[in-house]
Every structure is written in C-alpha cells, then in structure tokens.
Amino acid sequence: MNHKPMEEARIGVYVCHCGTNIAKTVDVAEVARWVGEQENVVVARDYKFMCSSLGQDLIESDIKERGLTRIVVAACSPHMHEKTFRGACQRAGLNPYMFEMANIREHDSWATDDRAAATQKAKALVEGAVRRVAHHTPLEPLPVEINPNTLVVGGGIAGITTALELANAGYHVYLVEREPSIGGHMAQLDKTFPTLDCSACILTPKMVEVGQHPNITLLSYSEVEKVEGYIGNFTITVRKKARYINEELCTGCGICEEKCPKRVVDHVFEAGLGYRKVVYRPFPQAVPKYPVIDRENCTYFLRGKCRACQIFCPTKAIDFEQEDEIITFQVGNIVLATGYDLFDARRIPQYGYGRLANVFTSMEFERMVNAAGPTGGKIVLRDGVTEPKSVAIIHCVGSRDKNYHEYCSKVCCMYSLKFAHLVHERLPDAEVYNFYIDIRAPGKGYEEFYHRLLHEGTHFIRGRVAEVTDAARQPGEEGKLIVQVEDTLIGKQRRIPVDMVILSAGLEARHDSREVSQLFKMGCDFDGFFVERHPKLDPVATMTEGIFIAGCAQGPKDIPDTVAQGAAAAARVAGLIHLGTVMMEPVRAYIHEELCSGCRICNTLCPYNAIVFHEDRQVSEVITALCQGCGTCVAACPSGVISGAHFTNEQIMSQIEGVLWDVRRNGNGKQPTVNIQQSTANVQQPTVNEP
Amino acid sequence: MKYGYYPGCSLEKNARAYHESALVVAKRLGIEFEETPDWNCCGATEYFAINALAGYALVGRNLALAARQKLNGQGNQLVAPCSACFLNLSKTDHYMAESPELAEKVNSALAAGGLSYEPGSVRVRHLLDVIVDDIGYMTVAEQVRKPLYGLRVAPYYGCLVVRPDYQHIHDEPEYPLCMDGLLKVLGAEVVDYPVKTHCCGGHMTQISEETALEMIRRLLKSAADYRADVIVTLCPMCQLNLDAYQEQVNKHFGADYHIPVLYFTQLMGLAFGASPKEVGIGKEFVDARPALAKIQEEPPQNAKQKRSRPPKGALPMPSMLSHHKGGGQ
Amino acid sequence: MTESFEPVIVGFLCNWCSYRAADLAGTARIHYAPNMRPIRVMCSGRVDPQFVLKALREGADGVMIAGCHPGECHYVNGNIKTLRRYHLLKRMLKQLGVEEERVQLVWASASEGKQLAEAVDRMTEQLRALGPLRWPERVLGEDGRGANGHEAFVSAIEPREEVAA
C-alpha cells in the first residue's frame, strides 16, 4: 500500500467564524491557536467569512507564499462549500483533492449552546481533518462523455413533456411506454381543474407531435428489461411486446376492432367502467394508431378459431405469429416518468366498492363524465339508465389515513370539487355532498374554484366517513346508499342517504416501483415514490448520476406541476448533453492486483457489477467507469488490498485518531495506556498485517 | 393439535348449544381440547367498568391457570369460543405486556392464590380463528357430508371479536370475511350482511331496553332485507340478544321477524352430518327447523344463472379482485 | 472532569443520508449532545468493522454507524451489507465483554435530522449510565494480550501488537 511520508505535509488550517454562526458558540481563536501547535500545521488562522473572496484569497496567498501542500477549512458542511474551497486550492496551483473540510457549524456550533463542549468538539473535528488531509493524494476528476440520446420511461404527460422538450432542442429521445398508447392518466380525464379545459383537447396535439417527431423513437407496448452502464453511457434493453399487428402494413383504419366479436371489461383505460374489444386501441386518438391483440382473451389464441380480424383486415396486417422483439440501444441520460397507480378502493371494504353497485371510484366517474366514455358523458347509476338525485363524494380515500397512506395525495380535493361542479352542471336538480377532512386548494385559481363550488350549492360536510352501507334503518333510507359520518363542525353523527357514491381515491406509487427503482439502481422511499436528490433544490435529479425523475413517480402532483417537472428534467438532461463531458468525483475503488488473493468476495458485493474476475490471472479488477465509489468492497476485502480513493483506510484511520485526540492523550478520566501510545507509530497500515 | 379450552360461563348455561356443537366439530376436525382446570368468570363487559384492576386480576387468574397446562410443549394456546371471554383474555395479556406496572399489580393479586402470570406466555385464540387459520377451509371441506345447499345465511361477527384487534388475527377488522368463507365451504349461500360487525346491544337490554331493542331491530331488519334464512353468530351474547329478544322486537315495533340465530359450529356440525340434536338445535327460542328444512340435496343452479345477467346497457360491476395492471402510464 | 463522565462517541455517517441528516439537525438548530464526533464515509457499507474497533481502542466510549434506511441506500444496498457486518461485530464485541449499547447502528434519511439528534442523545445517555469503556483494562488485560480468556480475539483484532513487540 502506498505509504506517504508525513514530512512533506505542510498544512494550512483556516477556522471560519461564519459571522457569529460559529464564533458565538465555538472559541474560534482558541481552536486556531491550538491547531497551530499540531504536527505538520504550518499556518493556522481564524477569519470572519472564509467563503468570501477575501477568505479564499487568504488560502490562495498562503499556498503560494508559505508553500502549503494541504488545506483544512473548518467551517460549514462540505455539502455547502467544499467545491468553493477546492476551487481556491486549484487556483493557487494545488490539487483540489489536497483539501479537507471540518464541519464545525451544522455539526457543532448550531447543535449546542455549550461553549466549552463545542470548542472541544471543534478541536476534535479539526484535528481529524488535519490528520486525514496529511494522507490525501492528488486526484483527477474522471471525465465522462455524454451520449446525446436520452431514454424517457413513461408516456404520460410528464414523459411526453420531457420527450418533446428534448426533441425540440434537437436531441434524440427513446420514449418507452408500457401500454399500447401514450397519454397516460391524463388521456382518461374529462375536464381539468380549475379551468375546466378538456383534457383530450390539450393533450392530443402533444401526443400527435410525439408520434410524428423525427427526433423521437416511440416504443409503445414495450418495457425496459435491462439497464447497464452509467451516466453518459447507458445500454438499454427493451422488450417490445408482440402486438400481433404488422405496423408496416397497418393503416389504423379500425376495421379489425369493429369486426372482433368479443368484448371484455377494460380495466385500464376505462377503469373497469366500460368494455373494449379483444383487438383494440385504448381510445380513438391513440398514438401510435396501431391496435394490439389482447392475447389472453383472444378467441384465436384460446381456441385456434375465429380470425375475424385477419379475414376483414384490408391490408393483411394481422400477424398471429409475431413475437416479442428485444431492442438494444445506447443513451446518455434517463428520465423516469412512470406515473402513479390509483389507490385500490377495495382495500377499504367499509366503503363498499365492489359490493355496492352504485359506489364508483374517481377514475370510473372520470370516464363516466367523459363524452367519449362508456356512458357518453351521462351521469347514471350502475344500471346504465337511472340518473342519481343525490351524489356523495368522499375525499381522502386511502390518503391521510395511517392504515393506508399517511400522505395527502394533493389532487383529490381539487378533482372532487370538479366532480361536484360537473354533477351540478349535468344534473342541476341533484344534491351533491362533499365529505372532506380539510379542503386543500393551494394553486393558481384553486381557492377561487372552491369558492365557486360553495356558491353552486354543494353541501360540504367535514368529517371522515365511517361507512357506506345499504342497511337502511329508516323508511327514507330504503333503497339508498347511506353515508355514515361524524359531522365534526356540528359534533353530530349523521346518516345521509344518497343514490351514488364517488370515492376520491388517492394516488400511490406504481405497484412495481420498487422493482423499477432496482432496475435503474436508484432510490425509492417508504411509500414507493422515487427519491429526488434534494427535496427542494434538486427535485428532478436522483442520487444516481444521469437518472432523472418527473411527474407522479416522484410523488403525487397535479398536471401543472407534472409538466413543470417534465420540462425541468429535460432542461437538466439538455444541459449535460450540451456540456458533452461531465467530470465525476474520482472517489473510486482500486484493487492492488499483485496483492489480490482472488477470493472473489468483493465480486458479488458490488451493487454495480463493477468488479470483474480475471480467470487467467486469478485476480479481481474494478472497472473504474462502472464503480460508484461506495467503498463496500474496500471494507470487505479480507486482505485489505482494495483502496477507495479519497476514503482510504489510512485517511479514515488517521481521522479516527484525530477526532479522539483528547481522550488519547489527556485521558478525560481514562488512563492512557502503553499499547495505545505504541499504536500511534503504526497507524498507517491498519488492515495489512505485514510480517 | 392440542389446545387449552376456556368455555366461559355462557357456554355452560345459555350457550350450551355452542359448547356441544363446538366439541362435535372439534372432534371431527381433530382438534383436541383440554379444559383449563378451575377456571373462573372472565368478568364479562361490566367488571372492568366497575373495578379495572379486579377485572384484570380475575382474567389474570385464568391466564395463569392456562399457562400451567403444558400442552404440546410449544407454548400454550387457549381457545375461547365466547367473544367476550376472548376479548378479555387477550386484552389482559396485551395490557400486562404493555404495562409492567399492571403486570406487577395483577401478579401480586395472583400471589395470594399461589399463582403468577408472565404476559405473552399464553396465546389467546378465538375458536373461529383456530378453525379458519390452523385447520383451514380445505380440511373443513373434506368433512362436509351434508352440504347446506339453498340455505341463505347472514354471517354476523359482532363487535367484540374484531375490535380492537390485539392479536392481529383478522384479515379486515372493519369488514371481516373469514366466516363468510367458512360458511361457503359448507355449501351455504352467504349474503353480504352489511351490519356484520355492528353491536347487538350487549347488556344494554338491562340498562335501556329501548336502545337495545332498536339495535337488535337493525340487525334483524338487515338480515330480513337480504332474505337470510338464518343469522350465524360466534358470540353467546349476540345469539342471546337476537334470539331471545326477537319476539319483544316484534311486539315493540309491530314487526314480524322469524329469523333463527345459530352458532357457526352448529351449522358446521350439521354439514358434517351430525344430527340436529347433537349440535344443540332446538335450544333456540326462534325455531330453526323451518329454516333448516330449506336445505336442499343439490346445489342451486338456476338461482345463480338468473343473477349473472345484468340489464342491457348496464355498466360492468367492479370485480372484487384487484386489477394491478396499472392504468396507462 | 472526573465528577461527571461525558462519553465520547465516534459517528460514521454516510454521505447521502445520515451526514445530511446531521447537517439538517444543525440547520434546524436542533440541540443535542455534543458527544458524537462525526466522520464522513460515502456509504455505511464503507464502515470496516476495524474502524469501529480502532475507535474503541483509541479511547471512544461508543461508536454510532448511521446509514440510509434499508431500501433507500444511495448505493442500492450498501446499508444491508452494513447490517450484516454489524450483527457479526456485535457478537464479537459481546464476547469481548463490550456492552451492547456501545456500538449502535442507526438509520436516518436526509430529512430525519430530528431522529438522528434523538439517537445521539439517547446513546449519550446510555453511555453516561454505562461509564467509560476502558478498552485496555477490559479487553487487553494487564499484559496487553487479552483479558478474561479472549487472547485469540485480541491477537486477531490487535495485529499491531505483534509489530510493535
């Protein structure tokens, strides 16, 4: 292992006051004075604002004039200013990795009022950094070229927006969609709150643009199977499921759909409220226009007979022999816009969905009021004819409920208000009840929309509904659905008989979001939503370089927020493509081959499969380009021959000694013992037991 | 499989039919019961309201005795067919585990009788839970000799067995389905009984008869609305209220309900081929014989077909299975 | 200093979750015991059990390892590997007579500053009650070769004794 002689280390230490943020609790002058006496420290100063240009100048001139070879700044979190000070080092001609930061603000002065203890802790943190930096070695960031193609997963409004933004900027996009058509949930909606513009009217042109865009390769009815590589160079494998339609020949005329003799309930696009044929396009404006044959239900596939579609197809485009196609391509960045699932209302049996005919989910109602939906836009009961005289809309179904999802789904209040409005509009005589916990209407024009509804005569009842039942107690309840609720504004139990109940189901993460996050090697939170790099300042990036997220895959949100995020993700990707090359932190593992015993323990530990085993030489090697620098293999190597750049064993071991400077020497009630003092002479190689 | 058995006071008196039928069913299913020796009353619902500590001590004694029955060598399981007993036993075990202070007090009371109880050492089970979870529908199905074809049954769980769910046994405390499934296995036609977990009034009959009769009426009305031939219960309290007060409900409200109320074990026994007498049929106030006479030899075919054709133009009914195909990305 | 014992804890915080949690605790001015001295690692999976032993040997009274919640690891599953190592290490420390509370594994996401601060407070309180670790007396014994019959362990974990001798 590389054993640096300590003599050459000339360390400069700078203790920042951060105005009074640090100086108020930590005796910065004392820390600077004290550290000036420590081994290898040539210069030690305290200064009001180290991050100011004057503070940085101080470092630069000391490097030049005093010949400093390593720098420690004791200030805020490295997540705040590590880059700043590395820059200062670089400007003065010092390798930026010869720098270490001690966090005496967030981790010290802000976390306590005890001045003595804070000063003691500051000394420990600074001493840790001083000892560590003595073992730093110059490193060079790793340049990575960015492939200008981008993969967008999910063809809802988020994915459509990202794809179009990138395509219009001149970059090629592969848009992969699981369903036969793009459009996502937005295509299922009727009107959009609060402006009530027709969802299809604003979405369809965008879908068409995607379908026709020369820069977009649309892979519908396809799923990503494999993701290999890293930022700039991902290799993507996609399974394009067999449509049983020859896309070259199909004109999208729809005759096959017309002639198909079998219909099944459409659980996806029609949300279970309507039927579709077995050969189908989810909706007339589908993009691409080609239908698919639902193999599970197709009479030909089940019994080998029928072929009605094939017989009537004017262009002979039906191909029962078609097989899934595996497509592989390269991209530089990935945007995941995989959307959400609607909370399954069957999980709350006391609301009766699935048992009581006239209980509908919000998506069913969305299809019902849609002029292109199963009822042609008529609001009717399950029998298909009776118009309800009273409608109950129950908010927060599956949301804000510790039994299901604790979070607020953000859109349900607004779409519930929209539903109330649509009922008033189409059935002016019907009574509408909204059962809510709180009305959440934060957004442009949203609160105004709520007030509009208050004036339209909707009954707002505040309280979580206990149950929806058909068990009538009184004559007025016979034949009705009774909503049992505690009206918390008047403090009374109420039973409200209605004809129709709509359950405003919340949004939840895709049922397979965990598998997807593993496929793309990025994080997923407890609820299954993808984790952004920073909840406020970096909402579309993920912790994995080159992978971005947009839309409801990151958390529940409405259409405007989704579109904004989709565009933001595109901007981030475009920025990277425009740069052409990104510099990666050189925090990577390296195996000293001559010492590797070939045990292969590290091989399986690596989450990125970045370690290969050379059968011929019986040694393992880290592929630097694949390594992400977590250091798991470094910690696991039984021979201690994997070093993790910038987090080497000697760096960390020295830091441990540094942060424990006071208990090692003064005792703090502990007796310094012979063997502890002895060990200081031998700390540099903790893991290699040299004979 | 061997279990401790805590019949409780009701099963010795008014719920004799439950006791007898439970033993018949247990024997057929290979369940071995060993009655806890020298057990005492569980305190029912009142005792805890009057003096909680005495209530816990009363139940603690039963748990301590059950813990001493070394069964199977794999931790004792104590079966209580009565929902009130089940709730009190599991509640006491739960609270003693949660509060060492209470455990200490209960144990100091038990010490007077030379007993002590370590919380968690007895697992309290309801008879229904044992039959559904340990024995399983398959084994039950194998024992069915005379299926209950044509009998419309309303599964009535009552409130005590589902809430609060200390033992985390129920699939869905708000709308349980385990007894529905069991009765279906017996061949019965199970109605979706919407008030299945509503309260029967408990001992309200002794405090405010007016209130109690209204609560009982709701349960009977819902069963009648759903054209149930029998209400099936698993709690002696519920059985007593619905059965013994039915006539009074009729008088009070000018109604005419004749719905027999039987224990699920009685129907199991009948389906297993036991005679009505063996499973205690005839002990009920509302005569069950006319309802039981509806049991047919053959499964009803035509009824099902009639229901499955929806009116033309009707919207599809959501299926009870969830469709996790996701909705268009 | 002798009248009230203040334990010293070395904290290994992963760069992505728990280090940021500690940053957040500071930013939110959540006050907690100043006894924990953090060392940043990229992933809790980087924490070699030897780091823990080193810290205890060098005078720390306890070690806290903090990582992302299982399933939220920035490096897919580094924290799961930590969890495995942690359990093995605990077994070994137990045999050396080191109390269980002295080495703790904590999950704290970047948003859980409060939880991390609470964990530090809790651990500090526990260690105050336990008193100083006194690794040399407890583990090494008078001759430095192992107390209480665990010489084999000591020679395994204190390789440098051989070098020094």
Side-chain angles (χ1 to χ4, degrees):
Chain A
M1 210 185 266
N2 206 358
H3 195 157
K4 279 264 161 246
M6 303 266 284
E7 287 72 36
E8 66 172 57
R10 292 175 59 80
I11 304 174
V13 184
Y14 302 84
V15 184
C16 181
H17 296 211
C18 194
T20 56
N21 279 315
I22 296 170
K24 193 177 143 225
T25 325
V26 172
D27 185 344
V28 283
E30 163 61 15
V31 174
R33 183 203 61 76
W34 174 82
V35 76
E37 296 169 357
Q38 304 307 308
E39 207 181 344
N40 299 323
V41 177
V42 178
V43 182
R45 301 180 194 275
D46 60 285
Y47 189 71
K48 202 94 181 155
F49 285 108
M50 280 311 298
C51 60
S52 67
S53 51
L54 289 175
Q56 296 185 52
D57 286 348
L58 211 57
I59 300 174
E60 288 175 46
S61 60
D62 279 351
I63 293 172
K64 287 178 195 150
E65 287 160 24
R66 309 287 293 270
L68 300 181
T69 58
R70 281 138 223 274
I71 301 297
V72 169
V73 174
C76 50
S77 171
H79 290 296
M80 185 71 82
H81 273 309
E82 191 173 52
K83 269 198 178 137
T84 312
F85 297 118
R86 278 183 180 172
C89 294
Q90 194 156 25
R91 283 194 299 278
L94 190 65
N95 182 286
Y97 292 91
M98 303 303 270
F99 164 80
E100 178 67 13
M101 209 158 169
N103 184 346
I104 59 167
R105 191 178 74 173
E106 282 86 343
H107 289 189
D108 191 9
S109 72
W110 277 352
T112 182
D113 276 336
D114 183 337
R115 194 168 165 85
T119 305
Q120 186 79 356
K121 183 172 174 183
K123 285 181 184 175
L125 299 184
V126 174
E127 180 65 2
V130 167
R131 299 235 181 174
R132 185 189 208 278
V133 83
H135 295 279
H136 280 202
T137 49
L139 297 170
E140 293 304 326
L142 304 165
V144 173
E145 275 189 38
I146 303 288
N147 182 314
N149 299 335
T150 304
L151 166 69
V152 176
V153 186
I157 186 58
I160 287 175
T161 306
T162 306
L164 285 177
E165 291 285 340
L166 285 168
N168 287 334
Y171 302 121
H172 196 87
V173 175
Y174 293 91
L175 178 59
V176 176
E177 166 58 50
R178 176 153 59 188
E179 296 297 326
S181 169
I182 58 170
H185 282 119
M186 192 177 164
Q188 294 173 269
L189 310 183
D190 178 43
K191 299 276 192 291
T192 55
F193 61 77
T195 47
L196 299 173
D197 32 7
C198 147
S199 187
C201 312
I202 54 179
L203 179 67
T204 312
K206 286 194 169 278
M207 290 168 57
V208 171
E209 198 182 343
V210 167
Q212 295 174 345
H213 208 295
N215 283 340
I216 297 178
T217 303
L218 175 58
L219 298 166
S220 61
Y221 210 46
S222 303
E223 289 187 63
V224 176
E225 288 221 318
K226 204 157 97 187
V227 179
E228 291 165 297
Y230 48 91
I231 182 174
N233 301 281
F234 292 104
T235 304
I236 309 295
T237 309
V238 169
R239 175 178 295 269
K240 197 168 182 299
K241 292 174 278 187
R243 288 184 115 93
Y244 305 106
I245 304 289
N246 185 333
E247 291 175 24
E248 308 274 304
L249 301 175
C250 177
T251 61
C253 68
I255 287 177
C256 53
E257 210 170 335
E258 205 177 286
K259 297 293 179 189
C260 176
K262 190 172 171 187
R263 66 168 199 175
V264 293
V265 175
D266 182 354
H267 290 291
V268 179
F269 190 78
E270 297 293 2
L273 195 75
Y275 299 91
R276 62 162 167 78
K277 290 295 181 62
V278 167
V279 52
Y280 72 107
R281 282 179 301 183
F283 51 106
Q285 306 93 326
V287 172
K289 62 191 173 188
Y290 318 115
V292 295
I293 294 176
D294 165 11
R295 190 186 168 121
E296 269 176 46
N297 290 303
C298 173
T299 312
Y300 173 74
F301 281 113
L302 291 173
R303 296 202 203 97
K305 271 185 230 158
C306 181
R307 291 177 181 260
C309 49
Q310 200 173 35
I311 294 161
F312 287 99
C313 178
T315 58
K316 304 271 171 276
I318 306 286
D319 176 9
F320 289 114
E321 308 301 316
Q322 204 175 59
E323 283 179 8
D324 290 1
E325 206 180 325
I326 303 293
I327 300 167
T328 305
F329 52 89
Q330 309 278 326
V331 296
N333 292 282
I334 298 171
V335 179
L336 296 176
T338 49
Y340 67 90
D341 279 340
L342 199 70
F343 174 79
D344 184 355
R346 294 172 190 83
R347 288 176 60 195
I348 309 184
Q350 63 270 33
Y351 287 174
Y353 183 69
R355 288 192 291 116
L356 305 172
N358 292 319
V359 177
F360 294 83
T361 65
S362 43
M363 197 50 94
E364 279 185 301
F365 188 73
E366 203 70 69
R367 293 307 302 152
M368 186 188 286
V369 286
N370 194 311
T375 64
K378 278 199 307 254
I379 300 174
V380 287
L381 298 181
R382 196 72 71 174
D383 65 8
V385 282
T386 315
E387 288 182 346
K389 293 190 178 59
S390 47
V391 178
I393 302 169
I394 302 178
H395 292 220
C396 300
V397 174
S399 309
R400 304 186 68 193
D401 183 339
K402 70 175 189 174
N403 294 318
Y404 305 101
H405 297 303
E406 279 196 62
Y407 57 79
C408 165
S409 289
K410 215 171 167 184
V411 294
C412 327
C413 276
M414 289 309 296
Y415 77 59
S416 300
L417 295 177
K418 176 186 76 180
F419 288 171
H421 171 80
L422 293 173
V423 177
H424 285 308
E425 186 185 88
R426 310 216 175 150
L427 305 172
D429 296 332
E431 296 292 335
V432 184
Y433 300 87
N434 270 47
F435 297 90
Y436 69 101
I437 307 177
D438 300 293
I439 292 289
R440 297 195 164 170
K444 199 170 169 180
Y446 290 12
E447 185 71 15
E448 293 89 325
F449 188 68
Y450 171 39
H451 280 274
R452 179 174 166 188
L453 263 291
L454 286 171
H455 291 296
E456 282 182 7
T458 310
H459 304 285
F460 285 92
I461 297 174
R462 186 176 180 278
R464 186 182 275 293
V465 170
E467 70 172 347
V468 177
T469 179
D470 60 347
R473 285 182 193 166
Q474 308 303 335
E477 296 176 351
E478 295 293 346
K480 300 266 186 181
L481 293 173
I482 303 107
V483 179
Q484 171 96 40
V485 64
E486 184 193 352
D487 185 332
T488 58
L489 294 181
I490 59 169
K492 283 215 158 66
Q493 281 288 334
R494 293 178 72 177
R495 286 170 67 81
I496 296 177
V498 293
D499 294 327
M500 177 190 245
V501 171
I502 304 167
L503 303 178
S504 293
L507 313 190
E508 61 185 17
R510 285 279 183 203
H511 59 282
D512 56 355
S513 72
R514 248 164 245 289
E515 290 97 88
V516 171
S517 78
Q518 274 164 15
L519 180 68
F520 289 92
K521 307 222 167 43
M522 36 84 70
C524 194
D525 67 17
F526 182 77
D527 293 308
F529 292 111
F530 298 151
V531 181
E532 63 282 353
R533 183 177 279 254
H534 190 283
K536 295 178 192 74
L537 301 179
D538 210 350
V540 296
T542 66
M543 293 289 191
T544 306
E545 302 280 347
I547 297 188
F548 299 87
I549 49 180
C552 288
Q554 182 252 348
K557 54 179 64 68
D558 57 16
I559 295 169
D561 284 2
T562 300
V563 169
Q565 236 185 8
R572 292 293 298 275
V573 171
L576 286 166
I577 300 171
H578 184 74
L579 269 180
T581 307
V582 287
M583 300 309 263
M584 302 278 285
E585 278 274 282
V587 177
R588 295 289 180 266
Y590 172 77
I591 298 177
H592 299 263
E593 278 190 25
E594 64 279 13
L595 295 173
C596 175
S597 68
C599 72
R600 308 193 63 171
I601 285 174
C602 55
N603 295 191
T604 51
L605 278 180
C606 180
Y608 303 97
N609 298 326
I611 306 180
V612 293
F613 183 69
H614 296 291
E615 289 286 350
D616 49 343
R617 284 174 283 146
Q618 293 289 300
V619 291
S620 296
E621 185 193 350
V622 178
I623 307 298
T624 312
L626 290 176
C627 175
Q628 299 290 306
C630 66
T632 299
C633 60
V634 186
C637 178
S639 338
V641 299
I642 309 182
S643 58
H646 214 52
F647 286 87
T648 65
N649 281 344
E650 50 184 0
Q651 285 165 0
I652 294 172
M653 290 290 195
S654 309
Q655 192 175 1
I656 294 171
E657 288 173 12
V659 299
L660 294 170
W661 69 277
D662 49 346
V663 288
R664 301 172 74 220
R665 290 187 199 152
N666 301 348
N668 188 16
K670 296 172 231 282
Q671 297 285 313
T673 64
V674 176
N675 33 51
I676 283 185
Q677 280 179 346
Q678 272 181 351
S679 65
T680 52
N682 313 291
V683 291
Q684 284 80 28
Q685 283 185 293
T687 50
V688 182
N689 186 6
E690 284 170 349
Chain B
M1 186 73 178
K2 207 167 178 180
Y3 298 87
Y5 184 65
Y6 177 86
C9 317
S10 306
L11 270 76
E12 299 224 313
K13 295 291 176 218
N14 58 301
R16 195 78 212 163
Y18 195 8
H19 188 50
E20 287 166 7
S21 57
L23 295 183
V24 167
V25 167
K27 196 174 171 197
R28 292 287 294 274
L29 294 172
I31 303 171
E32 228 178 301
F33 283 142
E34 191 182 298
E35 191 167 324
T36 305
D38 195 33
W39 56 267
N40 52 263
C41 170
C42 74
T45 49
E46 295 87 349
Y47 219 114
F48 287 86
I50 297 162
N51 184 334
L53 184 61
Y56 286 119
L58 204 60
V59 183
R61 183 173 178 276
N62 292 321
L63 289 167
L65 291 169
R68 289 211 300 206
Q69 293 178 279
K70 296 270 176 252
L71 305 170
N72 305 325
Q74 50 161 2
N76 284 336
Q77 301 211 20
L78 181 63
V79 176
C82 166
S83 298
C85 300
F86 165 74
L87 180 65
N88 283 339
L89 289 163
S90 53
K91 179 165 74 178
T92 303
D93 183 48
H94 176 84
Y95 282 131
M96 281 177 77
E98 206 171 60
S99 159
E101 201 190 335
L102 175 69
E104 202 190 310
K105 282 183 182 166
V106 169
N107 273 322
S108 70
L110 294 181
L115 289 170
S116 78
Y117 177 66
E118 172 73 26
S121 52
V122 169
R123 190 173 160 214
V124 183
R125 309 284 304 271
H126 192 276
L127 181 60
L128 176 66
D129 174 37
V130 167
I131 291 176
V132 171
D133 269 7
D134 293 7
I135 306 299
Y137 293 145
M138 291 294 279
T139 313
V140 172
E142 284 165 14
Q143 293 299 325
V144 174
R145 302 283 178 275
K146 290 185 176 166
L148 309 176
Y149 294 139
L151 188 68
R152 282 176 70 85
V153 298
Y156 177 52
Y157 297 76
C159 57
L160 293 174
V161 77
V162 284
R163 284 177 290 208
D165 190 9
Y166 294 113
Q167 310 281 335
H168 303 290
I169 55 166
H170 298 291
D171 45 348
E172 180 51 73
E174 295 278 359
Y175 212 87
L177 288 168
C178 56
M179 186 162 68
D180 297 45
L182 183 67
L183 295 169
K184 275 179 199 156
V185 165
L186 304 180
E189 195 179 324
V190 183
V191 306
D192 176 32
Y193 191 46
V195 291
K196 56 168 75 170
T197 59
H198 286 211
C199 175
C200 71
H203 290 183
M204 193 57 83
T205 47
Q206 310 305 307
I207 302 160
S208 163
E209 201 173 346
E210 183 83 9
T211 312
L213 292 179
E214 166 60 16
M215 293 175 89
I216 297 165
R217 180 191 74 88
R218 290 173 191 171
L219 296 168
L220 294 172
K221 178 181 185 313
S222 190
D225 286 350
Y226 271 87
R227 295 179 291 111
D229 300 318
V230 180
I231 295 175
V232 186
T233 178
L234 40 74
C235 171
M237 186 79 252
C238 300
Q239 200 277 341
L240 183 74
N241 277 352
L242 290 177
D243 186 31
Y245 285 86
Q246 204 167 123
E247 208 179 305
Q248 248 172 291
V249 168
N250 285 340
K251 246 185 236 159
H252 191 85
F253 295 98
D256 189 24
Y257 298 121
H258 294 283
I259 308 170
V261 187
L262 296 177
Y263 295 101
F264 74 102
T265 44
Q266 291 181 288
L267 288 187
M268 286 181 80
L270 287 179
F272 289 177
S275 73
K277 192 162 179 293
E278 275 178 284
V279 294
I281 302 239
K283 288 188 164 65
E284 67 280 353
F285 286 87
V286 179
D287 192 354
R289 279 171 305 180
L292 296 177
K294 292 186 181 173
I295 298 174
Q296 297 162 9
E297 298 272 317
E298 293 297 316
Q301 297 278 335
N302 47 351
K304 261 189 182 165
Q305 274 172 357
K306 232 187 285 170
R307 272 194 306 147
S308 68
R309 186 149 297 276
K312 202 167 185 294
L315 300 165
M317 202 35 208
S319 82
M320 286 303 277
L321 300 166
S322 106
H323 289 269
H324 248 325
K325 282 180 176 171
Q329 277 180 352
Chain C
M1 266 190 137
T2 42
E3 61 272 27
S4 79
F5 163 69
E6 282 300 327
V8 173
I9 303 167
V10 173
F12 293 100
L13 309 187
C14 83
N15 183 54
W16 304 99
C17 293
S18 43
Y19 193 91
R20 285 165 200 252
D23 279 1
L24 179 65
T27 312
R29 309 297 199 279
I30 298 168
H31 284 187
Y32 59 97
N35 302 50
M36 192 263 283
R37 298 174 180 180
I39 290 178
R40 179 162 67 132
V41 286
M42 291 309 278
C43 176
S44 59
R46 174 67 183 94
V47 179
D48 187 329
Q50 300 219 47
F51 295 172
V52 178
L53 297 172
K54 166 88 176 173
L56 296 176
R57 207 159 61 214
E58 295 288 347
D61 299 297
V63 173
M64 174 181 280
I65 307 166
C68 313
H69 284 275
E72 294 179 14
C73 179
H74 176 61
Y75 300 104
V76 187
N77 54 17
N79 50 5
I80 303 296
K81 286 148 192 166
T82 312
L83 185 63
R84 276 191 236 153
R85 282 182 199 138
Y86 170 72
H87 285 300
L88 287 171
L89 179 64
K90 292 267 277 196
R91 277 166 71 172
M92 173 177 165
L93 288 169
K94 195 176 170 192
Q95 294 184 46
L96 290 174
V98 175
E99 295 92 343
E100 204 168 11
E101 294 86 345
R102 292 200 188 269
V103 179
Q104 300 191 10
L105 178 60
V106 173
W107 307 131
S109 75
S111 59
E112 292 179 338
K114 187 161 168 272
Q115 283 83 341
L116 184 75
E118 283 168 358
V120 173
D121 275 339
R122 197 166 47 238
M123 184 167 180
T124 305
E125 211 42 64
Q126 288 168 340
L127 296 193
R128 272 190 199 129
L130 283 179
L133 168 60
R134 295 182 204 280
W135 176 274
E137 293 90 327
R138 188 186 302 236
V139 179
L140 303 182
E142 278 173 20
D143 60 356
R145 294 199 168 270
N148 312 328
H150 29 65
E151 289 81 359
F153 269 115
V154 171
S155 64
I157 62 169
E158 294 269 332
R160 265 159 298 113
E161 293 309 307
E162 306 296 320
V163 183

